[in-house]
Amino acid sequence: MRFDDPPAILLAALLSLGCGSASGADIYVIAGPDVKLSVEDVRELYLGDKEFSGEVRLVPVDNQAALSEFVVKALGMNPQRYNILWVKKAFRDALNPPAVKAGDFEVLEFVKRTRGAVGYVSSVPRDKEINVIGKF
Amino acid sequence: MSFNNRFPLRQLIFVGLTATIASAVPGVSFGQSDAERIRELERKLDRSLKTIEDLSNRLKDVETRTPVRSESAPPSPAQEHEHERRIPEIGSETSSLPTLLKGFADVGANFVGNGGNKGFFDGSVDFYLTPQLSSNIKTVIELVFEHDSTGVLSPDLERLQVGYTFTNATTVWLGRFHTPFGYWNTAFHHGQQLQTSVLRPQMIDFEDHGGVIPAHTVGVWGTGAVRAGTGRLTYDLYAGNSPSIHGNELDPNNAGKTQPGYSAGFNLGYLFGGSADLLKIGVHGYRAVVRDDSLALNVTRANIFGGYAALDSAAWEVIAEYYALRNEDLSGGTGSHASWTGFAQMGRRLERWTPYVRLERAALSQADNYFAQLATGRAYSRQASGLRYDLTPNSALKMELNHTVSEATPKAVFNQLLTQWAIRF
């Protein structure tokens, strides 16, 4: 270990101090007021095993900007496996995979105006019409 | 920023940082000796460097797994797949959902030693639609085009189902569907790109390809799953037209039938962990009254019972299915005849490569009119091994070598080398 290399020490220290945030931002699963879901339901919904919340047909939507983070944290798989799973689901069970939105804004807009919509975003929504179902 | 040219600043940063780190280390106080503090700092820096290394490795890992989402860059395979799943804004009414045409196709070359067709071939083209008509009503329309053994192109309405989803645990379908026995028949069927191997196991091949277990049913089918413990209990209950044997092959009687006889079956499974990428085990049963078009006009009650297991993980694919048959002769009075058949396939996924092996065996009683009347109803054994390479997420190259011993008259022993390029769109 060299102590005469302050830039390296500075970099190491900054990275070390920043470890907490480097582990990845939180993902918030959101839905409109007509959707009643538990955190446990989120996995079933995004794996195609849950289609309804009471009488309301659920419309899950993916967020391209946060998809990798969400799939790893909430579903415990990588994005490739997630995609393959939906290909098989579509062929076998005639389920259509979630639509893909570009980012948080598009997901929020979709959830606000679509009955039964469920999405996920990378920050807590401030809109009172939107409920946070869970954090991953 | 050059630290070498600004030595005072460098010293200040170094001193400040040292103090910060030192004060952050539990148990380190200014009352400690310099040597102790330096050792503590060394340990802290070792941990920091290890953290940097871990982060660097994680970053590399993420970069290799995550598609680059640059607008200007050509789309990666993963992006292309994202595009496949992208659908336009759907509004508040699910009935406005656009219906995407999806499908499979395959081409290849076969070299067979049993006198069959060899050389290059175009396989099948499978188009399917899954329109969601309302919150509860959905459909499956699947149409397959393929050449028969004489080269004639024949369309086949593979699936035509209309379903109503009552709850998360219950969907009822009406129409022609893939008979939900075992795992393979509903998981892959004509989705050649989905299945690892080139060939299906012979006993569950399509009716017009020599399968001896009815692969399609025209009727009504209830299916669903409920949570049970940490997993999910899945069920299928179905009833439909009995198949017949026409021209030495099974006929699902798509347009109804003139003679009595219905089929019924079930499939009960348990999905460990509740995820489709984990282990599923189950039992299945099937019963049907089957009439053939021989001179004797035999009537047989087919009774099938068995079990299966399937593991579809990121690293392994293991599928095993077993069918025990106790067919009863209802017209000739020869009694009940016992037969069995099954297969086991194992594949190891190594990035894009998947080597696999499969064993098949069928011990089919020739005193049973059901098998005696089917062209492929002879006992056989087959050992197959192959290699699959995923060029892209939706395109796979496969090569398979198999050895078959068929207890036909005369006995047939042959090898096949099969290649296939299977795509999904």
Side-chain angles (χ1 to χ4, degrees):
Chain A
M1 173 66 66
R2 291 171 58 206
F3 279 91
D4 58 350
D5 192 356
I9 294 172
L10 177 61
L11 179 63
L14 289 175
L15 282 171
S16 176
L17 294 172
C19 273
S21 58
S23 63
D26 290 328
I27 298 290
Y28 300 87
V29 177
I30 58 170
D34 52 343
V35 174
K36 307 296 179 199
L37 286 180
S38 66
V39 174
E40 293 74 32
D41 291 332
V42 171
R43 179 180 168 80
E44 289 191 352
L45 171 66
Y46 275 91
L47 294 182
D49 295 327
K50 190 173 186 66
E51 297 182 61
F52 291 94
S53 165
E55 297 292 313
V56 178
R57 179 169 189 85
L58 297 169
V59 187
V61 61
D62 275 325
N63 180 342
Q64 192 166 1
L67 190 144
S68 298
E69 196 89 23
F70 171 76
V71 167
V72 170
K73 286 182 171 180
L75 308 182
M77 60 178 66
N78 65 40
Q80 285 75 20
R81 288 288 296 168
Y82 179 63
N83 285 330
I84 289 291
L85 182 141
W86 268 109
V87 169
K88 292 179 177 177
K89 275 277 181 187
F91 181 64
R92 184 176 51 202
D93 301 332
L95 287 172
N96 291 304
V100 181
K101 301 296 173 189
D104 286 3
F105 178 76
E106 290 81 1
V107 171
L108 285 165
E109 287 300 303
F110 183 82
V111 170
K112 271 196 285 189
R113 64 182 163 76
T114 308
R115 186 168 187 256
V118 180
Y120 51 88
V121 290
S122 55
S123 59
V124 182
R126 295 177 181 174
D127 200 317
K128 290 180 180 176
E129 297 172 29
I130 293 178
N131 295 329
V132 175
I133 294 169
K135 184 178 81 169
F136 293 92
Chain B
M1 182 177 179
S2 168
F3 282 84
N4 291 333
N5 296 336
R6 299 183 183 182
F7 186 71
L9 176 60
R10 187 177 69 171
Q11 274 195 319
L12 279 174
I13 291 172
F14 179 66
V15 170
L17 194 59
T18 305
T20 304
I21 292 173
S23 64
V25 176
V28 174
S29 72
F30 286 102
Q32 292 174 302
S33 69
D34 286 348
E36 286 171 335
R37 288 167 59 194
I38 288 169
R39 276 197 296 275
E40 195 62 46
L41 280 168
E42 283 178 337
R43 283 194 289 274
K44 175 69 177 174
L45 285 168
D46 282 342
R47 286 197 295 272
S48 299
L49 287 171
K50 186 172 185 313
T51 302
I52 292 170
E53 191 179 342
D54 288 344
L55 285 170
S56 176
N57 289 337
R58 285 181 57 192
L59 183 62
K60 282 179 189 170
D61 187 39
V62 168
E63 283 175 345
T64 55
R65 288 189 307 162
T66 306
V68 178
R69 301 193 187 280
S70 164
E71 290 295 328
S72 57
S76 66
Q79 273 181 306
E80 286 177 354
H81 191 80
E82 288 297 322
H83 180 72
E84 284 180 22
R85 300 203 299 119
R86 181 184 295 277
I87 59 175
E89 300 282 321
I90 63 170
S92 57
E93 290 296 324
T94 51
S95 59
S96 65
L97 270 168
T99 300
L100 301 180
L101 180 66
K102 294 165 273 192
F104 301 91
D106 64 282
V107 293
N110 289 342
F111 305 93
V112 299
N114 64 342
N117 292 350
K118 59 186 73 171
F120 297 95
F121 70 92
D122 56 343
S124 60
V125 183
D126 178 313
F127 299 105
Y128 72 99
L129 302 158
T130 56
Q132 181 81 40
L133 301 180
S134 75
S135 291
N136 299 82
I137 300 174
K138 52 188 176 184
T139 60
V140 181
I141 302 164
E142 184 179 5
L143 191 59
V144 175
F145 295 90
E146 60 186 347
H147 295 288
D148 63 20
S149 57
T150 61
V152 176
L153 184 67
S154 58
D156 203 354
L157 190 55
E158 189 64 26
R159 281 188 291 176
L160 179 57
Q161 302 169 218
V162 182
Y164 192 94
T165 302
F166 291 90
T167 68
N168 288 311
T170 310
T171 297
V172 175
W173 294 98
L174 189 65
R176 174 176 151 126
F177 48 87
H178 298 155
T179 310
F181 54 70
Y183 174 83
W184 190 297
N185 197 47
T186 50
F188 305 129
H189 215 86
H190 273 288
Q192 289 283 345
Q193 190 269 339
L194 293 180
Q195 76 184 32
T196 299
S197 60
V198 176
L199 291 183
R200 286 166 66 96
Q202 184 179 304
M203 83 287 295
I204 58 165
D205 210 339
F206 312 116
E207 292 93 340
D208 54 355
H209 287 201
V212 296
I213 309 285
H216 301 89
T217 296
V218 183
V220 60
W221 169 28
T223 184
V226 292
R227 278 186 199 166
T230 57
R232 292 173 65 79
L233 189 64
T234 66
Y235 72 89
D236 299 279
L237 297 169
Y238 58 97
N241 295 339
S242 268
S244 302
I245 298 175
H246 288 143
N248 301 115
E249 67 181 40
L250 284 167
D251 177 355
N253 288 309
N254 299 320
K257 53 208 294 274
T258 56
Q259 294 178 312
Y262 289 92
S263 64
F266 72 91
N267 186 332
L268 295 175
Y270 188 78
L271 197 55
F272 288 87
S275 170
D277 60 353
L278 294 177
L279 177 66
K280 184 180 183 183
I281 59 172
V283 293
H284 51 210
Y286 180 84
R287 188 179 172 99
V289 176
V290 183
R291 296 166 190 273
D292 65 42
D293 58 357
S294 68
L295 286 175
L297 295 174
N298 301 302
V299 182
T300 304
R301 176 176 288 130
N303 296 300
I304 304 173
F305 187 80
Y308 64 93
L311 172 68
D312 181 21
S313 74
W316 293 96
E317 180 193 63
V318 180
I319 305 170
E321 297 185 12
Y322 172 77
Y323 301 85
L325 296 102
R326 298 289 183 275
N327 293 346
E328 298 170 54
D329 182 359
L330 300 181
S331 57
T334 62
S336 179
H337 306 280
S339 302
W340 71 271
T341 183
F343 71 90
Q345 175 173 304
M346 184 171 71
R348 177 73 169 95
R349 294 181 171 126
L350 303 162
E351 298 291 334
R352 295 181 176 208
W353 297 93
T354 307
Y356 62 91
V357 294
R358 186 170 73 218
L359 301 176
E360 299 176 38
R361 180 110 168 81
L364 310 178
S365 170
Q366 295 307 294
D368 183 344
N369 293 322
Y370 179 87
F371 291 115
Q373 290 301 318
L374 287 171
T376 51
R378 310 293 164 267
Y380 81 97
S381 64
R382 174 176 286 169
Q383 299 89 45
S385 61
L387 187 62
R388 172 190 170 114
Y389 178 74
D390 286 288
L391 274 173
T392 64
N394 51 13
S395 166
L397 293 171
K398 306 177 199 175
M399 186 173 69
E400 182 173 310
L401 181 65
N402 69 53
H403 174 73
T404 303
V405 177
S406 173
E407 302 297 333
T409 307
K411 184 175 181 176
V413 180
F414 59 90
N415 298 318
Q416 293 177 301
L417 175 63
L418 314 168
T419 63
Q420 184 185 67
W421 191 350
I423 62 165
R424 166 171 52 81
F425 51 90

